[in-house]
Amino acid sequence: MNNREFGQKGEDMACEYLIKNGYSIVERNVHFSKFCEIDIIAKYKSKYVFVEVKTRKSGGFGSPLEAVTKNKYNNIKIGVLTYIQEHNIRQYQIDVIGITLEPILRIDHLKNI
């Protein structure tokens, strides 16, 4: 499995997690530039939720949440601001989902970062 397939598997798992928790998936893999892609755009009640997903095989190199650097966050924020303006969205938040596959499956969901 290459990195793209691995990342896709993590995003699929994150979508399943979100749906089980009452979210509906609006869009996936929305590109704004070569530096900005929103992995998942979901809706929870009346709020749009922009989700960055990071997946790691194990925690050996740290938490997947640590992979969301300040630079990465700023790029995501630019994409989110573009999207909310284009779609006239008033209520939104940015979340990060970190998935660690081994030794046991762990899903961490940071809301409204």
Side-chain angles (χ1 to χ4, degrees):
M1 181 181 311
N2 65 36
N3 285 344
R4 183 147 178 79
E5 293 169 333
F6 188 74
Q8 186 68 44
K9 179 180 176 180
E11 289 175 18
D12 291 344
M13 293 172 74
C15 283
E16 289 174 24
Y17 164 84
L18 289 168
I19 290 166
K20 285 180 186 175
N21 285 283
Y23 293 74
S24 58
I25 306 303
V26 176
E27 292 190 66
R28 290 182 63 177
N29 304 111
V30 180
H31 292 267
F32 296 94
S33 72
K34 75 178 199 175
F35 299 109
C36 180
E37 174 192 14
I38 305 296
D39 294 327
I40 301 168
I41 300 173
K43 201 167 180 189
Y44 184 74
K45 299 181 181 176
S46 63
K47 186 180 286 189
Y48 280 81
V49 183
F50 298 86
V51 184
E52 174 68 13
V53 180
K54 292 296 181 186
T55 308
R56 298 289 180 263
K57 185 174 183 178
S58 71
F61 293 103
S63 164
L65 300 174
E66 294 171 336
V68 181
T69 63
K70 183 177 181 179
N71 196 34
K72 176 70 174 169
Y73 176 76
N74 286 334
N75 287 334
I76 292 168
K77 197 162 73 171
I78 290 167
V80 168
L81 293 174
T82 301
Y83 191 91
I84 65 169
Q85 286 177 339
E86 289 175 357
H87 294 85
N88 198 27
I89 294 170
R90 298 191 190 285
Q91 293 185 328
Y92 70 95
Q93 68 186 44
I94 300 172
D95 291 5
V96 177
I97 293 180
I99 299 174
T100 307
L101 300 176
E102 296 176 3
I104 59 169
L105 176 64
R106 178 182 171 126
I107 298 177
D108 294 306
H109 186 181
L110 293 180
K111 298 178 182 181
N112 204 21
I113 61 166

